[in-house]
Amino acid sequence: MPVLEVENLKKYYPVKKGFFQKTINHVKAVDGVSFHLNSGETLGIVGESGCGKTTVGRSVLRLTTPTEGKVFFKGNDLGKMDKETLRKTRTSLQIIFQDPFSSLNPRMNVGQIIAEPIKNYETISKSEIMQRVAELMNRVGLRPAHMGRYPHEFSGGQRQRIGIARALAVNPEVIICDEAVSALDVSIQAQIINLLKDLQQEMNLAYLFIAHDLSVVEYISHRVAVMYLGRIVELASDRKLYETPFHPYTKALLSAVPIPDPLVSLEHEIILSGDVPSPLDPPEGCTFHPRCPMAMNKCRTRPVYREIEPDHWIACHLYP
């Protein structure tokens, strides 16, 4: 059984207008997303800015309430849990935020930041808490002697390690990595990615890795889902998706990845016409069809998201 299952997840934000704040439209941030995540696996979610990646992560954790759809953790529907059961389940579902500075309380020192989730969920002595904090800091590559320091006294990479230690404090099974390395320098990105991979092997963690850097996603992920305007258009294993992409949007996205070789021609790059449509008024049918070089008349109807090969899913009329 997958550790996490998402079925037809939707998140619409109302657009209000007038004195009585009447709802006149909705921003369709997430519009029918489905996937599963196994223990010890990393599922990468990629796509352009504004495609709904972060909203998916926040909806899975119920940091924002989904408009429609279901999220199952080990077969249990998070949406049907009472407040206390959901609170206990949150220890198994944690998040690493994008900004390693604003996600840490500047008025708390590192020891207090990492100890806070332990205090919230466990009843143990202060000495045991400090011992756990020291162990967590060692595990993520920080010196326990620095637990009295404040976030502004650390570099960006060190602050992200603090965020990782805080997420690990309650022994989670699933961690949402929301652009966890996008704010870091390239060399520091590599260190954090390798740390996450080592922790995954040690603790059998499952990651939902949200990012827009396709190279990073390829390195860390076992499977990759490509999102466009609130929907998943293709999902496959990392090797299959990067070597033989099917969906025209996936092909365009991968062709834009820079190749560090001046002798390699750029003729293979696919230049898409037009801009990304607004989620306030998405196109009917396949949302990609106004920009798709392979568009047909039938693309004005919504394609079915289906499995065309073992564990290779796609939403495109080109593959009936």
Side-chain angles (χ1 to χ4, degrees), residues 44-80:
I45 299 184
V46 300
E48 294 171 278
S49 296
C51 71
K53 306 185 298 293
T54 294
T55 306
V56 168
R58 295 179 68 87
S59 298
V60 165
L61 294 175
R62 298 195 71 81
L63 295 178
T64 181
T65 305
T67 304
E68 194 178 311
K70 296 180 179 180
V71 178
F72 296 93
F73 175 70
K74 289 187 170 180
N76 299 310
D77 189 347
L78 297 182
K80 294 183 178 179

Side-chain angles (χ1 to χ4, degrees), residues 7 124 168 187 207 215 253:
E7 294 182 1
I124 57 178
L168 296 174
S187 59
Y207 294 142
S215 301
L253 209 60

Side-chain angles (χ1 to χ4, degrees), residues 118-135:
I118 303 174
K119 291 178 180 177
N120 284 342
Y121 291 102
E122 298 183 33
T123 307
I124 57 178
S125 67
K126 186 176 181 180
S127 61
E128 289 177 306
I129 292 175
M130 289 300 102
Q131 183 179 350
R132 284 265 295 275
V133 170
E135 290 172 356

Side-chain angles (χ1 to χ4, degrees), residues 269-315:
E269 186 174 356
I270 301 171
I271 307 297
L272 297 176
S273 60
D275 298 320
V276 180
S278 169
L280 263 173
D281 186 25
E284 293 184 4
C286 174
T287 53
F288 183 61
H289 85 263
R291 306 175 69 197
C292 180
M294 308 290 289
M296 306 173 286
N297 287 332
K298 67 167 66 175
C299 295
R300 297 183 182 276
T301 60
R302 184 165 180 171
V304 177
Y305 181 64
R306 67 184 74 189
E307 189 174 23
I308 58 170
E309 291 181 358
D311 207 23
H312 193 153
W313 296 75
I314 194 169

Side-chain angles (χ1 to χ4, degrees), residues 2-288:
V3 67
L4 188 71
E5 292 179 272
V6 175
E7 294 182 1
N8 197 34
L9 186 69
K10 297 181 180 180
K11 180 59 183 179
Y12 297 169
Y13 292 98
V15 177
K16 300 181 182 293
K17 187 177 181 181
F19 181 79
F20 294 103
Q21 290 295 285
K22 183 180 179 181
T23 300
I24 59 169
N25 206 342
H26 288 87
V27 175
K28 296 180 179 180
V30 179
D31 192 20
V33 165
S34 300
F35 60 84
H36 71 271
L37 180 64
N38 299 314
S39 294
E41 180 189 40
T42 300
L43 174 63
I45 299 184
V46 300
E48 294 171 278
S49 296
C51 71
K53 306 185 298 293
T54 294
T55 306
V56 168
R58 295 179 68 87
S59 298
V60 165
L61 294 175
R62 298 195 71 81
L63 295 178
T64 181
T65 305
T67 304
E68 194 178 311
K70 296 180 179 180
V71 178
F72 296 93
F73 175 70
K74 289 187 170 180
N76 299 310
D77 189 347
L78 297 182
K80 294 183 178 179
M81 291 182 180
D82 58 63
K83 191 174 181 179
E84 184 57 29
T85 305
L86 181 61
R87 180 181 178 277
K88 291 177 181 178
T89 305
R90 285 190 188 281
T91 60
S92 300
L93 300 163
Q94 292 294 303
I95 185 170
I96 301 169
F97 294 98
Q98 176 177 356
D99 189 340
F101 190 75
S102 63
S103 61
L104 303 177
N105 190 335
R107 298 183 180 182
M108 298 172 69
N109 62 42
V110 171
Q112 293 171 327
I113 289 171
I114 299 174
E116 187 176 26
I118 303 174
K119 291 178 180 177
N120 284 342
Y121 291 102
E122 298 183 33
T123 307
I124 57 178
S125 67
K126 186 176 181 180
S127 61
E128 289 177 306
I129 292 175
M130 289 300 102
Q131 183 179 350
R132 284 265 295 275
V133 170
E135 290 172 356
L136 286 164
M137 292 185 71
N138 265 324
R139 178 170 280 182
V140 300
L142 295 172
R143 295 177 62 184
H146 294 164
M147 69 171 65
R149 294 185 178 183
Y150 289 82
H152 71 272
E153 299 178 81
F154 293 88
S155 67
Q158 289 174 322
R159 285 196 289 264
Q160 197 60 289
R161 290 174 188 269
I162 296 168
I164 294 170
R166 179 177 60 184
L168 296 174
V170 286
N171 299 313
E173 296 181 53
V174 177
I175 296 181
I176 312 293
C177 301
D178 182 16
E179 303 273 12
V181 297
S182 64
L184 307 176
D185 293 337
V186 174
S187 59
I188 306 301
Q189 283 185 9
Q191 295 175 20
I192 298 299
I193 291 296
N194 287 328
L195 171 63
L196 290 172
K197 293 190 75 170
D198 291 342
L199 291 171
Q200 185 175 51
Q201 292 179 352
E202 291 174 21
M203 305 173 67
N204 197 35
L205 295 169
Y207 294 142
L208 188 63
F209 194 86
I210 298 166
H212 58 263
D213 189 325
L214 292 164
S215 301
V216 170
V217 171
E218 181 183 16
Y219 179 68
I220 195 173
S221 300
H222 299 97
R223 291 184 299 133
V224 180
V226 179
M227 284 190 69
Y228 183 80
L229 214 63
R231 301 175 187 172
I232 292 179
V233 296
E234 187 167 6
L235 190 156
S237 67
D238 62 329
R239 180 172 296 180
K240 186 176 291 186
L241 187 109
Y242 280 81
E243 291 180 357
T244 54
F246 284 174
H247 198 282
Y249 177 65
T250 308
K251 293 177 181 178
L253 209 60
L254 292 175
S255 76
V257 178
I259 299 174
D261 187 345
L263 301 178
V264 174
S265 172
L266 296 178
E267 293 178 359
H268 71 288
E269 186 174 356
I270 301 171
I271 307 297
L272 297 176
S273 60
D275 298 320
V276 180
S278 169
L280 263 173
D281 186 25
E284 293 184 4
C286 174
T287 53
F288 183 61

